[in-house]
Amino acid sequence: MKTRLLVKEGEYRLAKAFCMDAKIDAEELYCFLTGMDKVALFLRANEEVDPETEEKYMELIARRAERIPLQHITGTQEFMGNTFKVSPDVLIPRQDTETLVEEAARTIQKNPKEKVSFIQKLKGVAEWDVLDLCCGSGAIGISLAKICSDIKVTASDISSAAIAVASENASKLRAKVKFVEGDMFEPHAGKKFDMIVSNPPYIRTAMISILQEEVKEHEPLGALDGGRDGLDFYRVIVDKAADHLNPGGFLMLEIGHDQGEDLRKMLKDDGRYTPAEVIKDLPGKDRVVKCRLKKESDL
């Protein structure tokens, strides 16, 4: 069978199984199997495929047709221009989360702190001390460590399996990140940061059952379920983050598209934070809430 016909058959089987982006996934799986890129796939469209490759390709298509996420088959996901390892132990990084990384990096770059001396740098002191809370695959913290110079990133998660995946990602991407296992702020007792970033679970419990099969059946429930109203983790973060931020330190949280006003009110009612800004993603939906811990001059 010619390459183009084989990939077309793969697309047909995925579409029949109600997989979204059937054409893209069929092409991605062929490229993954053969090591080709999309250009080579186009140029070699009329070449004959050997029986062994054809059989292996159809095995991959069959797995995807079972609604196993493409990223769990290939084991990787692109995020902020880097390739991250993913597994069923971590949430697959989404493009939505790039909004959080971009805003955090922009904030760091536009708000230079007092310069750290050469001696302090030798001692490991950084200009910015950043915490990636509920880090999962490590995509947020690792990306910030690669984008921004002179920052020290700590990333934590309650899942030891997630920490293992994140640590491997940091090693492969040559990003200097300290990983800590523990529940929310527990492993950070007595520690303060200049910025806390987080993409916590925020899907309402009742909504889990109507998610795509790829998500509800194959991604970790603990990284999805935000409680009855989706705000359980935000309540903990808003309550505890002030104890772990330096005065004027930034708190930046990814949110669901309909949670901006809830978070803005929650932060206002707490009273320890500056008025929150809600930042939209590329499609124009609310995606990130940003505020600072008040300084004496704000009181």
Side-chain angles (χ1 to χ4, degrees), residues 54-102:
E54 183 176 333
E55 181 180 357
K56 289 180 178 178
Y57 177 68
M58 285 306 175
E59 288 174 358
L60 294 178
I61 290 294
R63 292 183 64 197
R64 180 69 187 97
E66 293 173 357
R67 307 298 291 275
I68 297 172
L70 173 71
Q71 296 87 345
H72 288 176
I73 297 172
T74 65
T76 62
Q77 169 68 4
E78 295 296 314
F79 183 83
M80 295 297 297
N82 293 299
T83 301
F84 285 82
K85 174 184 176 179
V86 295
S87 77
D89 296 312
V90 297
L91 194 68
I92 297 169
R94 267 74 169 177
Q95 187 177 12
D96 294 340
T97 304
E98 293 190 357
T99 303
L100 174 60
V101 174
E102 289 166 356

Side-chain angles (χ1 to χ4, degrees), residues 109-123:
Q109 292 163 352
K110 287 187 175 180
N111 294 274
K113 297 178 63 181
E114 182 178 342
K115 286 293 182 181
V116 176
S117 70
F118 177 72
I119 297 299
Q120 287 176 308
K121 287 185 178 181
L122 288 178
K123 292 180 178 179

Side-chain angles (χ1 to χ4, degrees), residues 16-199:
K16 190 177 179 181
F18 303 104
C19 295
M20 292 182 65
D21 303 317
K23 182 176 187 297
I24 293 174
D25 286 2
E27 293 174 350
E28 290 284 353
L29 287 172
Y30 193 80
C31 289
F32 167 69
L33 176 64
T34 61
M36 291 184 186
D37 58 22
K38 292 293 182 68
V39 174
L41 178 60
F42 174 77
L43 293 175
R44 298 170 65 176
N46 289 313
E47 290 186 4
E48 291 290 331
V49 180
D50 65 84
E52 182 180 357
T53 299
E54 183 176 333
E55 181 180 357
K56 289 180 178 178
Y57 177 68
M58 285 306 175
E59 288 174 358
L60 294 178
I61 290 294
R63 292 183 64 197
R64 180 69 187 97
E66 293 173 357
R67 307 298 291 275
I68 297 172
L70 173 71
Q71 296 87 345
H72 288 176
I73 297 172
T74 65
T76 62
Q77 169 68 4
E78 295 296 314
F79 183 83
M80 295 297 297
N82 293 299
T83 301
F84 285 82
K85 174 184 176 179
V86 295
S87 77
D89 296 312
V90 297
L91 194 68
I92 297 169
R94 267 74 169 177
Q95 187 177 12
D96 294 340
T97 304
E98 293 190 357
T99 303
L100 174 60
V101 174
E102 289 166 356
E103 185 62 29
R106 189 180 300 116
T107 298
I108 291 170
Q109 292 163 352
K110 287 187 175 180
N111 294 274
K113 297 178 63 181
E114 182 178 342
K115 286 293 182 181
V116 176
S117 70
F118 177 72
I119 297 299
Q120 287 176 308
K121 287 185 178 181
L122 288 178
K123 292 180 178 179
V125 177
E127 290 184 35
W128 279 80
D129 207 344
V130 179
L131 171 63
D132 175 9
L133 191 68
C134 307
C135 69
S137 67
I140 296 172
I142 291 170
S143 296
L144 284 174
K146 291 184 70 65
I147 294 169
C148 302
S149 59
D150 293 326
I151 71 168
K152 182 169 67 174
V153 178
T154 302
S156 64
D157 200 286
I158 193 172
S159 166
S160 59
I163 291 294
V165 171
S167 298
E168 186 175 340
N169 280 325
S171 178
K172 287 185 176 179
L173 294 171
R174 298 184 179 181
K176 190 174 182 181
V177 178
K178 177 183 178 183
F179 292 98
V180 182
E181 181 184 341
D183 187 9
M184 300 297 283
F185 289 99
E186 286 182 2
H188 310 294
K191 177 67 176 172
K192 291 184 181 290
F193 300 90
D194 302 305
M195 176 183 284
I196 297 174
V197 294
S198 183
N199 176 21

